[in-house]
Structures are given as structure tokens and as C-alpha cells.
């Protein structure tokens, strides 16, 4: 592979990844279909898809997991799942996920001001005790996983979450810790289009 072939596409002159980004036409048909669906739904292909396509089989596995974790349930809705994503991403300082999931949270809430406040500092966003407890636990998993205890699970169950939904809080927080680290270590840059979405 030549230097030109290895050069990643850019956003505002910055490479979207420090790793080679394959041409879409080189990808398996299922991933080309994923890219087409993204264009139809949001008008562009998220750079995480493009960057992660360096290992196409892993992109497929990651995306299927991501989709499952963002399915809303009775006591943990789509917006709350995005809140976990941004709280974890702020704790990790992950630019990519803060921008992209901040936009998703604006859309899910229908309130861009509240969404931005949650993204930047959920503790000062005026959330109720239940949502604050969910995000506190997600950040605890991120910063102090050795301090997690059965009491954390009982606390969230006390706010009406089922055991399966508490598991989802844990799994979403853990998945974003993984995704944040991948984004940071691979130098992923978010699409410029995200900044204007749901404003």
C-alpha cells in the first residue's frame, strides 16, 4: 500500500483516523449496505464507520452490539441510553463520541439546550434523582470500577429499573469505554455535519 493509498480522508484538514481508511467499494456488501442506509437516514456516513472499516469484520460485530444496546425499554428510554454515552464520553474526554452522541441526545430529547448541558456536565443540568443516579453509576463504572457493589444495582432497581435494564446501564457504559478508547487511540474525528444536527 502506498503512502497515498494509506492517507485517510480528512475533516477540516484533519485525518479522520490515524489508520488507513478503505474505499467503500472495497468493503463487503453488507457494510456497503450499512453505508448506504446511513446516507439515506442522516445524509452522510459516520466517520466511525469509515475508520472502523479498517477491520471490516469487527465493524459489523461492533455495530450489531451498538444497535442492541440502544433499543429503548420501558424504564430506560432512547434518550437515557444516549445520556449514558455522553456521561461516559465526557469522563473519558472522547471528542468523537461527545460530538456524535451529543447530537443524538439533542435529537432524542427534542431539547438542544438540555442535551448540551447533559453532555457537558450532567450534574448541573437539572436532572431528576433517578437519571442522576443512572449517570453517576455509569461514571463510577468508568472511573472507579473496583468500587462497584451490589448496592449500586439495588439503588437503580429502587428507581424502577429492572435487573435487565441495570445490566444495560452497565453494558452501555462498558461499551462506550471501549468505543472511547478506540476513538482516542485511533485518532477518530467526528463528521462536521454532527455539529449542526438537531439544533
Amino acid at each position: 500500500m502506498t503512502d497515498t493509498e494509506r492517507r485517510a480522508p480528512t475533516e477540516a484538514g484533519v485525518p479522520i483516523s490515524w489508520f488507513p481508511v478503505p474505499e467503500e467499494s472495497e468493503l463487503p456488501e453488507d457494510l456497503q449496505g450499512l453505508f448506504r442506509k446511513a446516507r439515506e437516514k442522516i445524509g452522510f456516513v459516520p466517520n466511525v464507520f469509515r475508520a472502523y472499516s479498517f477491520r471490516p469484520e469487527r465493524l459489523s460485530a461492533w455495530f450489531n452490539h451498538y444497535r442492541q444496546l440502544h433499543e429503548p425499554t420501558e424504564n430506560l428510554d432512547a434518550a437515557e441510553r444516549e445520556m449514558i454515552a455522553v456521561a461516559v464520553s465526557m469522563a473519558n474526554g472522547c471528542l468523537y463520541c461527545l460530538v456524535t452522541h451529543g447530537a443524538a441526545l439533542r435529537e432524542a430529547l427534542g431539547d438542544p439546550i438540555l442535551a448540551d448541558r447533559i453532555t457537558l456536565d450532567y450534574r448541573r443540568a437539572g436532572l431528576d434523582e433517578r437519571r442522576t443516579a443512572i449517570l453517576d453509576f455509569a461514571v463510577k463504572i468508568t472511573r472507579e470500577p473496583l468500587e462497584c457493589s451490589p448496592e449500586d444495582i439495588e439503588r437503580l432497581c429502587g428507581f424502577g429499573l429492572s435487573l435487565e435494564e441495570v445490566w444495560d446501564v452497565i453494558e452501555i457504559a462498558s461499551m462506550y469505554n471501549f468505543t472511547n478508547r478506540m476513538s482516542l487511540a485511533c485518532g477518530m474525528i467526528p463528521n462536521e455535519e454532527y455539529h449542526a444536527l438537531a439544533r
Side-chain angles (χ1 to χ4, degrees), residues 11-164:
E11 289 283 338
V14 178
I16 65 166
S17 174
W18 297 330
F19 284 79
V21 176
E23 292 294 328
E24 190 172 331
S25 60
E26 299 170 359
L27 298 176
E29 180 54 39
D30 63 322
L31 291 182
Q32 291 185 41
L34 174 64
F35 285 27
R36 283 192 298 272
K37 284 181 185 173
R39 279 195 194 89
E40 290 167 11
K41 184 175 180 184
I42 60 173
F44 59 92
V45 176
N47 285 344
V48 69
F49 291 2
R50 297 165 72 201
Y52 223 136
S53 67
F54 177 64
R55 302 299 300 270
E57 69 288 353
R58 306 228 178 124
L59 169 57
S60 294
W62 171 84
F63 183 69
N64 287 332
H65 187 218
Y66 162 85
R67 251 189 353 203
Q68 289 177 344
L69 293 181
H70 279 274
E71 279 296 318
T73 54
E74 184 178 356
N75 305 301
L76 195 66
D77 64 26
E80 289 162 345
R81 290 166 187 265
E82 291 294 350
M83 289 178 200
I84 296 167
V86 297
V88 168
S89 299
M90 180 54 79
N92 287 324
C94 181
L95 172 66
Y96 188 96
C97 292
L98 284 168
V99 170
T100 60
H101 291 281
L105 182 56
R106 290 193 299 271
E107 182 175 354
L109 282 177
D111 183 340
I113 294 173
L114 178 59
D116 283 351
R117 288 178 180 170
I118 294 168
T119 299
L120 295 170
D121 185 355
Y122 73 89
R123 290 181 188 89
R124 297 177 63 196
L127 295 178
D128 62 19
E129 188 179 2
R130 177 183 164 281
R131 283 180 164 174
T132 301
I134 291 169
L135 300 185
D136 282 345
F137 186 39
V139 170
K140 184 177 187 179
I141 293 163
T142 302
R143 291 184 172 156
E144 302 170 308
L146 290 174
E147 301 303 315
C148 293
S149 71
E151 287 72 30
D152 295 312
I153 296 168
E154 291 168 14
R155 178 167 165 74
L156 293 192
C157 287
F159 284 110
L161 275 69
S162 68
L163 276 175
E164 290 79 7

